[in-house]
Amino acid sequence: MAEPELIESTGDRECDRIAQGVIGIFETAFPGRVRGFYLRGSHASGTSIDGSDLDLFIVFKDRFTDGAEFDRARALSNHCARLTPMLLEVILVGERGLRQPDGVGAALNLKLATRLLYGEDIRPDLPSFDADTYVRSVVHTPYLSYTFPVQRHNGPLVYPLDHIDPDGPFFGFDQCTDGADQPSTKLLIATVGWTATAIIALHSGQYVRDKAACVELYQKHVADQWTDLVTQVHDLCRNRWHYQLPSRAADRQTLRDLCHRTLDFQNHFLELYREYQLAEFASGDSDRQQLASQRLTQVVFPS
């Protein structure tokens, strides 16, 4: 096929080239199956910096035909990521999945915080923002970052959490993330960001579009003892150190202190999480009760 022509530029020539390559590969491998390719993250919001990932949504028509099709698409996206000079993160989803209860977060992100690069635009047809539904979805998202480290892959989380690597210089928050082969602060940024996003939702029901909005909304709607942690992780790890581990001794000590405090922030959130799920379980709504019951089995709290 001819080189795909982007509907809109990413704003970066290198990112445009990578996006065109990914689109061409998927269109060739899955002819007629992809509804649209969307840009998300900092490149979509115009806030990218050196070290920012290239984040894409690839939306398949209707739903994946079977598990094998999804597995092929996931493998292909992983292979694409190995060919790019920057970290490429792809979310694969079927249209029907965006309308399921566990697809609310992805659907809102697609609708409110992306730019269409190629294909058909389904965003106008996606459900409008509903605060209760959003909170119910996003409050579980920190669990995914908490269980990302290999040290926590097996079994449920146990409250209170311990450090990922108690003997490590940054307590395990410097380990490589998906697609990366160098230690960085990305796991720390993701952990603090998703935790803050969930707490913002619990306090105000506000949708968080991106990392900068997360800091601003946390300062405005939460403003608690963790506000400086949320602010410093964004300002230092992202904006000053550009996701990299700092080399200066003083900066490394600052990063170590941030990593140490993050564990307490996580445990603080898990207390709020338990209260929320117990309230959902007592709501009298069978669907909400079932979801809360399922989620309460994924984190072990002391009796």
Side-chain angles (χ1 to χ4, degrees), residues 68-217:
E69 183 180 57
F70 176 81
D71 290 342
R72 291 197 305 273
R74 171 53 61 200
L76 194 61
S77 69
N78 289 339
H79 293 320
C80 288
R82 290 185 174 275
L83 297 174
T84 65
M86 64 184 65
L87 187 61
L88 172 68
E89 292 192 356
V90 176
I91 291 180
L92 298 163
V93 65
E95 287 177 287
R96 193 176 299 190
L98 293 169
R99 292 173 171 80
Q100 300 301 314
D102 58 357
V104 169
L108 282 173
N109 187 240
L110 181 64
K111 185 179 183 72
L112 301 176
T114 65
R115 290 154 57 190
L116 178 66
L117 295 179
Y118 189 84
E120 302 174 46
D121 193 354
I122 66 168
R123 292 173 298 179
D125 300 325
L126 292 174
S128 300
F129 176 78
D130 175 77
D132 287 341
T133 305
Y134 169 66
V135 172
R136 201 168 298 120
S137 172
V138 79
V139 76
H140 191 61
T141 306
Y143 172 84
L144 303 177
S145 66
Y146 295 4
T147 56
F148 172 84
V150 294
Q151 294 91 333
R152 293 181 180 152
H153 276 185
N154 297 320
L157 289 180
V158 178
Y159 171 88
L161 298 180
D162 292 324
H163 279 301
I164 304 166
D165 179 5
D167 299 321
F170 305 110
F171 305 105
F173 281 110
D174 54 334
Q175 62 186 261
C176 299
T177 53
D178 285 339
D181 56 6
Q182 294 292 330
S184 72
T185 62
K186 289 192 174 185
L187 179 59
L188 176 66
I189 293 170
T191 299
V192 172
W194 282 118
T195 302
T197 294
I199 294 175
I200 291 166
L202 289 172
H203 276 254
S204 67
Q206 292 288 309
Y207 174 72
V208 177
R209 175 189 172 95
D210 55 30
K211 295 180 180 70
C214 179
V215 175
E216 179 181 347
L217 291 172

Side-chain angles (χ1 to χ4, degrees), residues 227-238 254 258 261:
T227 304
D228 63 328
L229 174 69
V230 174
T231 303
Q232 288 179 349
V233 166
H234 180 264
D235 290 348
L236 295 177
C237 297
R238 181 186 187 273
T254 297
L258 292 174
R261 288 194 65 203

